[in-house]
Amino acid sequence: MTDNPAASDLPSSSLNRRIVTTRPHTARIWNYWLGGGDYYEVDRVAGDEIRRLLPTISDYARADREFLGRAVRHLTAEVGIRQFLDIGTGLPTAENTHEVAQRIAPDARIVYVDNDPLVLAHARALLTSTPEGRTDHVDEDLRNVDSILEQSARTLDFSRPVALLLLGVVIFIGDDEDPYGIVRRLVDGLPPGSHLVLSHTITAPGLTEVDAAVAWWNAHGTPRITQRTPEAVARFFDGLDLLDPGVVSCSRWRPETGGGSPAGVTAEVAMYCGVGGKR
């Protein structure tokens, strides 16, 4: 693993106590697939094994990241949103939420939420704001909705629209934990004009490689993944006005608006996404 530039932001005893290096972790593996350097050997081994089962997994990671960029650009430039609540941040890479938003609107405000100490340490060191805007970082679990909203109110004005980003994080909420209720409570805490941006790994007939990779991960990694059908993913947007083209593969959500590099992912991936507005 590369040196952690923000390790000093947390007490070493706390950091060491909470970071488990003997089991692979999804945030670090995602960083590895995206070409980053913030992972341990156990993560690289797990990432390579998943890639053996699902050779296109790096495309999934890239397609999800490119969708984030397109959605944030649209909401900032076309809808006029200036506040973003990004839950399940993951380790910083290129084109993070605040970079995309503040390039268009330097006064944009972003709150990053994660419960991984390594993610938070990097976020505090690297995810810094423009002088006109602001970023904040909240150490919290997605399940603790009231705490997330309360802490985010230090930075965000909940009388004005907010974009709620849940990219690849609801997959870690099991069906017995009321995932739809969690998302609904978060959306209910936002004012009219707010938008939900969500992506989710799917399962469907013919996706045997995806199912095999998820099964391997659930046997060896943490946290466990719950796959859902495209129809089940669409349920997260119930009561919202879905933007065209609806709930689709991340590579199919408005690709004409650009995703960064000309070599963006164009193939269909089993990571579905959508953007819905609250009236």
Side-chain angles (χ1 to χ4, degrees), residues 172-277:
F172 302 120
I173 305 295
D175 288 333
D176 60 342
E177 299 179 280
D178 191 19
Y180 297 103
I182 289 172
V183 174
R184 184 171 59 252
R185 287 169 55 209
L186 282 165
V187 173
D188 286 348
L190 306 179
S194 295
H195 284 67
L196 170 65
V197 181
L198 182 145
S199 67
H200 197 298
T201 304
I202 66 160
T203 184
L207 296 179
T208 54
E209 289 183 336
V210 176
D211 294 342
V214 170
W216 187 92
W217 172 259
N218 285 342
H220 299 88
T222 183
R224 290 179 57 84
I225 292 173
T226 296
Q227 293 168 277
R228 296 181 172 94
T229 64
E231 294 77 16
V233 175
R235 279 186 57 198
F236 287 108
F237 295 94
D238 283 356
L240 302 177
D241 294 330
L242 262 177
L243 276 61
D244 291 336
V247 176
V248 295
S249 171
C250 285
S251 60
R252 301 290 189 246
W253 197 90
R254 304 192 178 193
E256 68 280 357
T257 62
S261 70
V265 177
T266 58
E268 183 94 2
V269 296
M271 175 76 75
Y272 270 44
C273 67
V275 179

Side-chain angles (χ1 to χ4, degrees), residues 118-147:
L118 184 62
V119 168
L120 289 165
H122 278 73
R124 289 167 183 146
L126 301 175
L127 303 183
T128 57
S129 176
T130 59
E132 302 92 336
R134 186 174 173 186
T135 63
D136 195 7
H137 314 92
V138 172
D139 181 359
E140 193 52 272
D141 188 283
L142 171 60
R143 299 166 182 83
N144 299 327
V145 172
D146 292 341
S147 177

Side-chain angles (χ1 to χ4, degrees), residues 72-85:
V72 171
R73 277 194 292 275
H74 172 77
L75 293 175
T76 308
E78 304 300 328
V79 180
I81 288 181
R82 296 294 182 266
Q83 303 187 106
F84 296 83
L85 178 55

Side-chain angles (χ1 to χ4, degrees), residues 34-111:
L34 286 171
D38 296 309
Y39 56 87
Y40 294 94
E41 178 65 12
V42 67
D43 305 308
R44 185 195 64 77
V45 171
D48 287 345
E49 177 60 20
I50 293 172
R51 186 158 25 216
R52 183 186 69 79
L53 295 167
L54 181 60
T56 56
I57 187 60
S58 292
D59 286 344
Y60 286 47
R62 288 173 50 219
D64 186 60
R65 197 70 180 180
E66 291 166 3
F67 162 64
L68 179 151
R70 294 196 298 271
V72 171
R73 277 194 292 275
H74 172 77
L75 293 175
T76 308
E78 304 300 328
V79 180
I81 288 181
R82 296 294 182 266
Q83 303 187 106
F84 296 83
L85 178 55
D86 187 342
I87 304 177
T89 305
L91 287 164
T93 58
E95 293 296 280
N96 300 289
T97 299
H98 76 286
E99 293 172 316
V100 177
Q102 291 182 343
R103 189 177 301 128
I104 300 167
D107 61 337
R109 294 188 167 208
I110 295 87
V111 172

